[in-house]
Amino acid sequence: MMNRRLLLLTGITTTVSAASLSGCASPTVDDYAAEKPVLDLKTYFNGMVDAWGLFTDRNGKVVKRFTVEMKCHWQGNQGTLDETFVYTDGTQEKRIWQLTDQGNGAYSGTAGDVVGVAQGQARGNAFNWRYTLALPVNSTVLNVQMDDWMYLMNDRVMLNKTRMTKLGIHLGDVTLSFTRRA
């Protein structure tokens, strides 16, 4: 009887451990390598791009809504994304990304409120961008980790979902829809 309980407990522990590990697996850009249309950041983020977005807290409640106007241009392997955010409460924010195309789908970037250097990789229709953002909250600034995923839908529309964490704790998500101007 004791051996059966031990065997059952061992089986349950193994099943729970395997389920926990499989739940930790996250997608990589290589998972999207065959997806079309192929995303070329230098082509998509060239000219004017408009975006509509929202921030949801960890429970899914919409906390902020905003629009973004982006003026984008590239000179060789160097790109600039000049973003103007306008929130529904009337506040505005500016972020200017300086991007470098490192070849083979790899990109790096900096911006005034980004801590260090952002690193990204494109494959197929997807781009994954990871960086630390210095986020003002009330009277303090929090360094939060951004796991940013973009998916090209067609030559004008791209969808974006970003998971925001601090010390591994999920704080919320940013969702955006980008549209290139014709």
Side-chain angles (χ1 to χ4, degrees):
M1 184 68 140
M2 183 62 100
N3 285 342
R4 275 198 291 186
R5 283 188 193 164
L6 183 58
L7 184 59
L8 179 62
L9 184 57
T10 302
I12 290 171
T13 303
T14 302
T15 302
V16 168
S17 295
S20 297
L21 287 175
S22 68
C24 293
S26 57
T28 69
V29 291
D30 291 330
D31 295 336
Y32 304 98
E35 295 294 321
K36 304 277 190 259
V38 173
L39 173 58
D40 175 13
L41 288 184
K42 289 167 65 175
T43 300
Y44 188 84
F45 288 116
N46 194 21
M48 297 298 294
V49 177
D50 296 304
W52 298 264
L54 49 87
F55 173 74
T56 53
D57 67 16
R58 72 177 121 230
N59 297 316
K61 180 181 177 188
V62 175
V63 177
K64 283 191 170 191
R65 292 178 298 127
F66 56 91
T67 60
V68 187
E69 182 180 79
M70 301 172 67
K71 299 172 187 165
C72 313
H73 68 276
W74 288 83
Q75 186 169 359
N77 288 336
Q78 302 299 309
T80 301
L81 307 183
D82 184 341
E83 304 174 326
T84 301
F85 294 78
V86 179
Y87 294 90
T88 53
D89 66 3
T91 60
Q92 292 190 18
E93 183 179 4
K94 187 107 168 132
R95 178 174 299 123
I96 300 175
W97 283 98
Q98 298 298 323
L99 305 180
T100 301
D101 178 352
Q102 299 177 319
N104 198 29
Y107 291 84
S108 62
T110 59
D113 57 353
V114 171
V115 178
V117 178
Q119 298 294 328
Q121 186 70 47
R123 290 277 188 277
N125 76 326
F127 179 65
N128 180 225
W129 190 235
R130 294 176 187 225
Y131 54 95
T132 300
L133 183 68
L135 182 68
V137 177
N138 298 326
S139 61
T140 188
V141 175
L142 297 177
N143 287 344
V144 297
Q145 285 63 54
M146 308 294 278
D147 186 7
D148 199 346
W149 284 88
M150 299 178 189
Y151 304 94
L152 186 64
M153 306 305 287
N154 60 43
D155 66 334
R156 292 192 58 225
V157 176
M158 184 161 47
L159 300 178
N160 175 245
K161 182 157 186 171
T162 305
R163 183 173 173 88
M164 184 184 303
T165 60
K166 172 78 175 166
L167 301 173
I169 298 169
H170 180 224
L171 301 177
D173 298 292
V174 178
T175 306
L176 284 158
S177 174
F178 294 100
T179 301
R180 285 186 72 221
R181 292 187 191 170

